[in-house]
Amino acid sequence: HLVEQFIHVRKKFNPESKCTELNLEPNTVTILKSPEFHCNMQKLRSLLMDHKDTKKGKWGVKLVHLVRNPFSMTVANYQYHKSSTEAAMFRNPCSPSPRNLTMTIADLNSPILSENGIMTHEDFDDILSQCSGIYQTRPGLKTSSYQQHLRALAPADGLRLTAANSLNPIALMASDLITFGRVRAMVRAEADNPERKKVRHFDLMTLSLEEALAHPGRTMVDFMDFAFGAQRASAGSEERVAAEYDHPWVHRPIVEDVADAAETEEFARLLRNDPLLGGPLTRVESLLHSVLNEREGGEIEA
């Protein structure tokens, strides 16, 4: 019997360690939305692999990391925020800090990302500065909301605001791609220790949202295989699950009507050609592709 656990990642953030504090219990599915994992690798390995009660052993963790192409993420956010009426649309898109945290996105993420040639502190500063140069500075928009800006501005400027607003989830995704690979390498190295009484496992599945949206049935079967292994359902049951998850998508209304393929492609082109955004987003995309293309699930090199 599995129990669901949801962790409020901001309330559980430890400013000293720079990590979201958590305790992964056996037989528990823990849901983490944009956790902050910026502590050293030993601390992160302990958070994921050890139990708070040192008398209790824990011999394995299965982690599913849901990821999205940074260009697709930014374009989808632009299209959504432009049409949504939620109150959250009034948030300043140029904020340098994640919501409810005082530390900046750059201070939290740039050390590991710059070390790996992905994004420097200057990249973060330039993207946010570009946003601040647009937001509430144009005639007729000086008291306008984020959404009103997206509706009034040309797509190139609207995407610059959205890229800044999406900076934290994109940076967190890239940081996690690196750190999860390092933790996996550490746990694997433990298995080579002859004094280790029992081998522990850190199984990692990096799941592309684009793939899940395109092939929901097959993705669910892959997830079941990963999560339950030898205890997974029979082949016939997997086929029924795949058909069940494929059905609503095959016959769903085309929600992407608000943004046809040509428009989406043009917005992505604007981002790629932007002098400040193109380079960092392309490097995040390359990092993501390198992880998704790993056949054996090898770790990211530091």
Side-chain angles (χ1 to χ4, degrees), residues 80-297:
Y80 170 74
H81 290 299
K82 189 175 180 180
S83 60
S84 174
T85 57
E86 294 183 8
M89 301 306 101
F90 290 86
R91 180 175 182 266
N92 182 349
C94 315
S95 174
S97 300
R99 190 172 301 176
N100 299 326
L101 295 184
T102 57
M103 303 183 73
T104 69
I105 300 169
D107 287 344
L108 289 169
N109 292 279
S110 66
I112 194 167
L113 294 184
S114 60
E115 175 188 338
N116 286 269
I118 308 298
M119 293 181 72
T120 65
H121 201 292
E122 184 179 4
D123 288 328
F124 285 93
D125 292 342
D126 288 345
I127 292 170
L128 293 172
S129 178
Q130 178 173 249
C131 178
S132 296
I134 298 171
Y135 187 63
Q136 294 186 338
T137 65
R138 305 289 174 83
L141 294 174
K142 294 190 176 181
T143 60
S144 298
S145 69
Y146 173 38
Q147 183 183 73
Q148 289 167 332
H149 278 70
L150 298 186
R151 291 178 174 178
L153 293 171
D157 280 338
L159 287 164
R160 289 174 180 130
L161 294 185
T162 302
N165 192 47
S166 306
L167 195 54
N168 190 51
I170 290 174
L172 285 176
M173 178 185 72
S175 296
D176 288 344
L177 287 168
I178 298 168
T179 57
F180 291 160
R182 291 182 178 179
V183 170
R184 181 176 53 194
M186 294 171 68
V187 175
R188 286 177 176 175
E190 290 178 357
D192 297 328
N193 183 353
E195 298 181 1
R196 171 67 60 184
K197 294 182 179 180
K198 187 173 180 179
V199 176
R200 302 199 296 180
H201 298 276
F202 179 71
D203 298 327
L204 175 63
M205 179 184 190
T206 306
L207 179 60
S208 164
L209 181 59
E210 284 82 12
E211 180 68 16
L213 292 174
H215 307 286
R218 187 176 70 194
T219 300
M220 179 53 63
V221 169
D222 290 344
F223 169 78
M224 290 172 61
D225 286 344
F226 172 80
F228 301 109
Q231 297 177 330
R232 66 185 183 277
S234 65
S237 296
E238 288 187 347
E239 290 176 1
R240 289 193 295 273
V241 169
E244 178 182 346
Y245 275 83
D246 277 334
H247 177 77
W249 288 94
V250 171
H251 300 287
R252 73 192 187 281
I254 306 301
V255 295
E256 289 84 359
D257 280 349
V258 295
D260 60 35
E263 180 185 71
T264 299
E265 183 177 344
E266 172 60 16
F267 291 161
R269 186 191 67 79
L270 290 173
L271 288 169
R272 290 185 186 278
N273 292 337
D274 187 273
L276 293 182
L277 301 174
L281 293 182
T282 297
R283 293 191 290 274
V284 172
E285 180 183 55
S286 297
L287 170 65
L288 176 58
H289 285 169
S290 71
V291 173
L292 292 174
N293 291 335
E294 290 172 349
R295 293 182 179 179
E296 300 298 328

